[in-house]
Amino acid sequence: MDPNFELLTLTLLPGVGARTVRDLAARGPLGGVLARPGQHADLLSESAVALLRSGEALRRAEDERALAASLGLRIVALSDEDYPALLRQIYDPPAVLYVRGRLSPDEGETSITIVGSRAATPRGSALARGISKGLASAGATIVSGLARGIDTAAHRGALDAGGRTVAVLGSGLDRIYPQENEPLVSAIAERGAVVSEFPLGTAPVPGNFPRRNRVLAGWGRAVVVVEAARRSGALVTARVALDEGRDVLAVPGHPSDAASVGTNQLIADGAPLVRDAADVALHLGIDIPAAPSVVGRGDDDVFRALEPGNPASLAQLQDRCQRPTSELLARLSELELADRVRRLPGPLFMRP
């Protein structure tokens, strides 16, 4: 029997996850497990043994493989050459990956995961998009989870640069979540890949996302957290990444900002501080192509709209500049990081 098909058959059994597959594989060829499931009843449930003995498990795997093919999807097994090399090294790698698009198995050293809050602030989304665009322009693959907020911004930033991005789902590939990102999924699949370890038809239930997060953590060499509340899935991804020996970096925020409590704590615990793509590149030894400095353009409309010693509100600046909120906040953040703008409570902004 095809080893890939053997792995698929096992993953479709009730109660069988990546660790069970790993433990079964350690006992010898999986063909023997499928042929003599009763000998492995300590790892397989009664229902799983019954499905294997009746042949129903093999029929289900055949149907799953046929359905995936009809949807234009590939099923890549742990034993396949296309399986991501760094992901294969984690403690419990997925036995199979459903893939829409193209995998690049040896890109782990140039893959960077960017994650953060679903309820992202406009500033956080703009920063995530800008960091992603800068890294993708240098040839990095941007990995994220397709969720609303920071994840979506990270994928879009990579696409802005014409770069490669990978989306890891917490549902079956035929159950895109959130649904409004279906057009984004098509764009990602053209430039990179959309992947899941979950069988087709799997709904995006909460229990799936911790499993998804370990894939995000293990796909590449580093995780960048842009925004994260005190309890956040992004922090789970960061902890798993540290356990797997990956680098974890974080974007700071104001101490009173609830969306930055998690990232500020990561920095307090020793995570390198990230202000932009250049900080990530410097830490990881990536060369970013030289480009005209955005911060250096001190005479743009946003800078001119500010007056020394005369604070202006965000609403006032929008009236003066006619820029979208996310774009305006991103530019103000750039100027603030360059010490050309001072942020005051309110929030208010002024030139020092």
Side-chain angles (χ1 to χ4, degrees):
M1 191 182 297
D2 178 1
N4 289 7
F5 185 73
E6 293 171 349
L7 285 170
L8 175 62
T9 301
L10 285 174
T11 61
L12 296 176
L13 292 172
V16 174
R19 295 181 187 181
T20 302
V21 173
R22 181 199 62 197
D23 292 342
L24 288 169
R27 296 182 174 184
L30 291 179
V33 174
L34 299 180
R36 296 177 294 277
Q39 296 180 9
H40 306 280
D42 57 322
L43 294 177
L44 297 172
S45 65
E46 290 185 11
S47 57
V49 171
L51 288 170
L52 286 168
R53 283 175 170 168
S54 68
E56 178 62 21
L58 297 179
R59 288 190 289 271
R60 290 184 180 183
E62 288 283 9
D63 290 344
E64 184 81 352
R65 188 162 63 175
L67 178 57
S70 72
L71 295 174
L73 310 176
R74 296 175 57 217
I75 300 177
V76 177
L78 185 61
S79 56
D80 198 296
E81 292 181 356
D82 285 353
Y83 197 94
L86 279 189
L87 184 62
R88 183 184 277 124
Q89 297 174 14
I90 70 173
Y91 175 69
D92 53 351
V96 299
L97 291 172
Y98 295 75
V99 181
R100 179 179 173 187
R102 178 181 57 85
L103 293 181
S104 182
D106 297 325
E107 70 181 357
E109 290 300 320
T110 58
S111 294
I112 300 168
T113 295
I114 298 179
V115 293
S117 174
R118 287 176 169 83
T121 66
R123 177 177 178 270
S125 291
L127 281 169
R129 191 163 183 166
I131 292 169
S132 177
K133 181 178 180 180
L135 293 171
S137 71
T141 294
I142 303 302
V143 184
S144 199
L146 197 72
R148 297 183 180 97
I150 297 301
D151 290 17
T152 292
H155 291 304
R156 293 195 184 280
L159 296 174
D160 289 343
R164 175 174 164 81
T165 182
V166 174
V168 183
L169 273 58
S171 61
L173 288 192
D174 57 342
R175 297 286 299 274
I176 300 302
Y177 178 79
Q179 290 185 347
E180 66 262 25
N181 273 351
E182 287 188 1
L184 180 58
V185 163
S186 297
I188 293 171
E190 290 180 4
R191 299 291 311 176
V194 183
V195 303
S196 175
E197 68 176 300
F198 296 101
L200 297 171
T202 301
V205 298
N208 291 349
F209 292 94
R211 288 178 59 186
R212 186 277 307 268
N213 291 344
R214 86 188 193 290
V215 178
L216 287 172
W219 195 282
R221 62 181 293 195
V223 171
V224 178
V225 185
V226 177
E227 285 184 334
R230 188 179 304 275
R231 294 182 178 180
S232 167
L235 296 183
V236 174
T237 303
R239 287 194 293 270
V240 175
L242 290 171
D243 289 343
E244 295 291 348
R246 309 299 200 256
D247 291 327
V248 172
L249 303 87
V251 174
H254 193 277
S256 65
D257 185 359
S260 298
V261 171
T263 51
N264 288 343
Q265 187 61 54
L266 286 174
I267 293 168
D269 292 340
L273 183 149
V274 171
R275 297 164 296 181
D276 51 26
D279 283 341
V280 181
L282 179 63
H283 180 79
L284 299 178
I286 298 172
D287 292 326
I288 292 183
S293 173
V294 177
V295 170
R297 294 202 313 268
D299 60 347
D300 69 2
D301 58 334
V302 178
F303 188 78
R304 292 195 302 271
L306 294 160
E307 300 175 7
N310 186 15
S313 68
L314 188 61
Q316 289 173 317
L317 293 174
Q318 285 178 307
D319 288 340
R320 296 172 189 175
C321 302
Q322 298 299 307
R323 289 203 192 195
T325 302
S326 60
E327 183 180 316
L328 178 59
L329 284 170
R331 179 59 181 145
L332 287 168
S333 296
E334 291 168 346
L335 291 168
E336 185 182 2
L337 289 170
D339 293 326
R340 301 181 68 86
V341 165
R342 182 175 300 162
R343 184 189 297 256
L344 305 173
L348 299 172
F349 303 87
M350 72 177 189
R351 285 161 58 181

